[in-house]
Amino acid sequence: MNKISGNSTATDDAPQDHIEAKNAFEVLVCTNTALRLAARRLGNLFDEALAPVGLKATQVSLLMETTRMAVANGGRAPTLQDLAAKLAIQISALTHALKPLLRDGLVELQADEQDRRTKRAVLTPAGTALLQEALVCWSTANQRVEEVLGAEAAASLRAVADYVASDEFLSAYMGN
């Protein structure tokens, strides 16, 4: 109530509206936010663990996936399009992430033999050697995460994350 006129005003209700809005935000459950925060926290911890080899966790993941895809394809390096699809990122984000690895001589881009416009990512000997060093740091960080979470919770977390990253989840989400 407005003390002068005796009429109700919008500002009289504002404190109650603010309390209700604050309560709604306190109880709001957001899977996206929780996963992003967790991913940033883990990313920072892995970045710290990888600092001695001069790589970021995202770079090690890119090197590992490039290697993994080449091995799975009989030694044939992945195309940038296939690598971007596997990592669930746009090609522009992949080429941006590759720039420092190319600059530092850890990765080379080679033209595809059948289609010269298509580029394939290949680890150089220096890239392979640095990846091996990085995997020691990565393994140590991963073991520490498992110690803190517990083996079962860590396995469950990976299983849920793998499912959410899958085409199966996307199809279910889209209602297909």
Side-chain angles (χ1 to χ4, degrees), residues 105-126:
L106 304 175
V107 174
E108 292 177 346
L109 296 182
Q110 298 177 348
D112 183 78
E113 295 164 1
Q114 283 79 35
D115 182 354
R116 306 295 289 168
R117 296 171 296 172
T118 299
K119 302 295 180 211
R120 294 183 175 276
V122 179
L123 268 65
T124 64

Side-chain angles (χ1 to χ4, degrees), residues 1 8-23:
M1 296 286 284
S8 178
T9 65
T11 56
D12 290 338
D13 295 332
Q16 183 61 34
D17 290 346
H18 176 72
I19 291 169
E20 290 173 11
K22 181 180 176 190
N23 289 340

Side-chain angles (χ1 to χ4, degrees), residues 55-131:
L55 292 173
K56 299 284 188 185
T58 52
Q59 293 172 317
V60 173
S61 294
L62 180 53
L63 293 172
M64 285 193 310
E65 194 55 47
T66 301
T67 301
R68 188 181 351 244
M69 289 179 74
V71 169
N73 199 20
R76 189 168 189 210
T79 67
L80 296 186
Q81 291 80 5
D82 290 343
L83 192 54
K86 180 70 174 174
L87 295 171
I89 60 174
Q90 294 183 352
I91 193 75
S92 60
L94 175 63
T95 56
H96 179 76
L98 281 170
K99 283 182 183 178
L101 300 174
L102 292 164
R103 178 198 65 218
D104 295 343
L106 304 175
V107 174
E108 292 177 346
L109 296 182
Q110 298 177 348
D112 183 78
E113 295 164 1
Q114 283 79 35
D115 182 354
R116 306 295 289 168
R117 296 171 296 172
T118 299
K119 302 295 180 211
R120 294 183 175 276
V122 179
L123 268 65
T124 64
T128 300
L130 191 58
L131 177 58

Side-chain angles (χ1 to χ4, degrees), residues 8 28 38 55 89 148 160 168 171-172:
S8 178
L28 180 67
L55 292 173
I89 60 174
V148 172
V160 169
E168 180 184 359
S171 181

